[in-house]
Amino acid sequence: MKNKLIIAIDGPVGSGKSTVARRVAEMLGYIHLDSGAMYRAVAWKALCEHIPLDSTEQLAALASSLRIDLEPRNGKQHVILDGEDITEWIGTPEVSHAASMVAVVPGVRHPLVSEQRRAGAQGGVVMEGRDIGTVVFPDADVKFFLTALPQERAQRRFIEERAVNTAANFEETFADMTERDQRDSSRTDSPLKIADDAVVIDSTGISIEQVLERMMTIVRERIAGTKQQAENSEQ
Ligand code: DC
């Protein structure tokens, strides 16, 4: 029996999942895998190659042809596309928008989901995204669904955007976020939704530390349960 867990964290834009996923992984000595970065990598390449974002066939062919490696370096996940580190290019609002567009295409999702399953199969992973607990790892050991009120999520995203672009505008950030959430939740293949067995945490008005405390209590209980089960089956 594997003794390291698969922890799934899903949620909409600005729900805080990246921060908590990274911290939970650090605390447990697990790998942190941000699956959204893979959709961003495909989107970035599609934009570079001027592939129309509604061309499902071209996007599917592109996704199948790329090699995307997610590598931890100095505590941060780096995205390596066909050998090139593209981490610094894929955080822009333009790539966010395009990532949500390419993520609608089943032919894009399938190769990425296979890769995510391969990366997490041994356990010891905290994987974040939109469909981790529902599609990628429906049998994940612990599933969280993080959320917060739209105003607060947009505010968090706006603060991040303004740090790199002083011309960022809150109304635009709010509109982009709403559009992306709507597309991510309404697509036919693997929409963003709460898994039946996920623990829902609303982070509106509470600190990251408080969110982490709630999550770690649940994770530690689960680790203890798994150990107990393993001991019982050895006897
Ligand atoms: O988490 P993020 O903002 O980096 O994700 C970018 C886009 O990728 C998001 O709008 C939807 C898509 N995505 C997805 O469809 N499934 C995932 N598991 C992760 C991200």
Side-chain angles (χ1 to χ4, degrees):
M1 181 185 279
K2 69 178 169 58
N3 52 18
K4 287 192 163 186
L5 309 185
I6 295 176
I7 301 173
I9 306 181
D10 290 304
V13 177
S15 57
K17 53 189 192 313
S18 289
T19 309
V20 295
R22 194 174 55 245
R23 295 276 304 273
V24 169
E26 269 167 21
M27 284 189 251
L28 297 170
Y30 283 13
I31 295 167
H32 165 220
L33 211 147
D34 169 10
S35 65
M38 301 176 87
Y39 294 91
R40 287 173 181 272
V42 175
W44 181 79
K45 191 71 176 176
L47 291 172
C48 290
E49 300 204 343
H50 305 290
I51 295 175
L53 297 178
D54 57 357
S55 172
T56 53
E57 280 179 18
Q58 285 187 76
L59 291 172
L62 177 71
S64 303
S65 73
L66 298 176
R67 186 189 161 106
I68 304 168
D69 294 304
L70 303 180
E71 292 180 6
R73 292 182 188 167
N74 302 325
K76 185 173 188 274
Q77 174 182 277
H78 280 248
V79 184
I80 316 296
L81 180 68
D82 291 335
E84 183 190 358
D85 189 340
I86 61 163
T87 315
E88 67 174 302
W89 308 116
I90 60 171
T92 63
E94 190 190 11
V95 175
S96 303
H97 171 83
S100 172
M101 300 274 289
V102 305
V104 169
V105 180
V108 168
R109 304 198 67 83
H110 293 164
L112 301 191
V113 167
S114 302
E115 192 50 35
Q116 289 153 17
R117 288 189 178 137
R118 198 193 54 72
Q122 301 304 313
V125 66
V126 182
M127 196 175 296
E128 58 161 301
R130 302 291 188 288
D131 61 342
I132 309 305
T134 50
V135 174
V136 180
F137 288 113
D139 296 326
D141 300 286
V142 188
K143 299 180 188 177
F144 292 107
F145 189 93
L146 283 195
T147 188
L149 286 177
Q151 189 74 15
E152 181 154 335
R153 294 192 288 108
Q155 184 63 29
R156 292 174 189 165
R157 188 41 59 102
F158 174 63
I159 290 168
E160 283 168 15
E161 284 176 3
R162 212 183 33 190
V164 289
N165 172 17
T166 47
N169 166 297
F170 179 78
E171 274 68 39
E172 272 174 30
T173 305
F174 192 90
D176 285 351
M177 182 195 85
T178 309
E179 186 195 325
R180 197 142 71 91
D181 282 347
Q182 167 64 18
R183 192 183 302 106
D184 295 345
S185 310
S186 61
R187 65 181 177 227
T188 315
D189 189 349
S190 317
L192 169 68
K193 63 175 184 192
I194 305 175
D196 292 339
D197 49 353
V199 176
V200 180
I201 299 181
D202 184 339
S203 66
T204 310
I206 63 171
S207 70
I208 288 290
E209 298 308 321
Q210 287 170 304
V211 174
L212 274 171
E213 203 177 301
R214 282 193 207 173
M215 293 172 86
M216 287 305 290
T217 303
I218 292 164
V219 168
R220 289 199 181 101
E221 275 169 14
R222 184 63 212 207
I223 290 174
T226 308
K227 259 193 201 149
Q228 189 63 53
Q229 246 179 314
E231 281 166 18
N232 292 348
S233 63
E234 274 166 21
Q235 283 164 9

